Amino acid sequence: MNDLLMSKLAIIGGSGITRLDGMEILRREVVHTPFGEPSAPLTHGIFHGHEMVFLPRHGSAHTIPPHRVNYRANLWALRQIGIQKVVGVAAVGAINPAMAPGTIVIPDQIIDYTYDRDHTYFDDNLTHVTHIDFTFPYCETLRQQLLASASSANLEAGAGGTYGATQGPRLETSMEINRMEKDGCDLVGMTGMPEASLARELDMCYACCAVVANWAAGRGDGPITMREIEEHLTVGMKKVYKILLKLFIST
Ligand code: HPA
């Protein structure tokens, strides 16, 4: 078996997933990094017989907004303890009409609209300038494993799509969504970047499991409500658990 297959999997949980139901907690590990503190201690546990690590992106009590997440510390901490494979679970809004709320999508591309975030490790005290290749932003092996897991759980998951990462914490205007659609975005979320590119900078295998929580601004029947988001997240998260279960069994 190669290193990637043997490596422990980590889940970064987003809105609606501050802990992983069904995970037996072994220990919590506080990790300090040169880039500051991660969102929470890393939780080591057993999920249906498989060792894994869980990190709640928005903190244990869900108090860190998307633009304040210390993405550098989160990925660095996971790498520091030897993690090579990460699934980022993320709530998103749907721009593409085929990606209805409550469904799961495994995106294959990203457009980054975020700003003012610490988005690289190649910043200070460099001995040389580094440009990572980011043509295909997600780890294709892990994407395919997630899609195969969805299908063995008898769930349909969108097999691709472009994730547009916005700054937040406000939601978008309807015209911003129109512009994003013209750009080619299918989904909109606030946490997909720089998480994906930092993982690539660290040479980690990273994929996103997007849970569609709402129609994007201007695409539904009225304003976007937190109630609507929570309801769809509840439905979507049940699917995420089933997919993760199959993923752990298969890797
Ligand atoms: N926009 C941005 N981020 C989101 C959305 C949205 O509509 N829904 C969930 N996260």
Side-chain angles (χ1 to χ4, degrees), residues 46-134:
I46 308 270
F47 186 65
H48 295 274
H50 296 262
E51 268 194 68
M52 49 118 15
V53 173
F54 180 76
L55 175 61
R57 185 186 289 116
H58 300 284
S60 309
H62 204 279
T63 49
I64 309 171
H67 64 295
R68 301 299 294 269
V69 170
N70 190 338
Y71 296 94
R72 290 199 299 184
N74 285 353
L75 272 303
W76 190 273
L78 292 172
R79 193 75 191 85
Q80 195 168 310
I81 65 158
I83 296 289
Q84 287 175 356
K85 270 192 302 193
V86 179
V87 175
V89 180
V92 295
I95 300 174
N96 184 329
M99 299 176 178
T103 60
I104 306 294
V105 182
I106 312 300
D108 62 350
Q109 273 297 337
I110 296 175
I111 299 180
D112 187 8
Y113 302 90
T114 65
Y115 48 88
D116 268 353
R117 299 184 179 192
D118 286 326
H119 66 284
T120 181
Y121 297 109
F122 300 119
D123 216 0
D124 295 319
N125 307 316
L126 299 178
T127 52
H128 59 278
V129 175
T130 303
H131 306 283
I132 51 154
D133 176 74
F134 204 46

Side-chain angles (χ1 to χ4, degrees), residues 155-198:
L155 291 170
E156 268 185 39
T162 298
Y163 180 118
T166 55
Q167 177 68 359
R170 68 164 176 85
L171 294 161
E172 299 69 34
T173 67
S174 63
M175 197 48 87
E176 285 170 335
I177 293 299
N178 290 348
R179 185 184 81 162
M180 292 178 76
E181 183 176 45
K182 280 204 196 109
D183 286 352
C185 295
D186 298 291
L187 304 166
V188 53
M190 299 175 192
T191 57
M193 283 295 284
E195 201 167 271
S197 55
L198 289 168

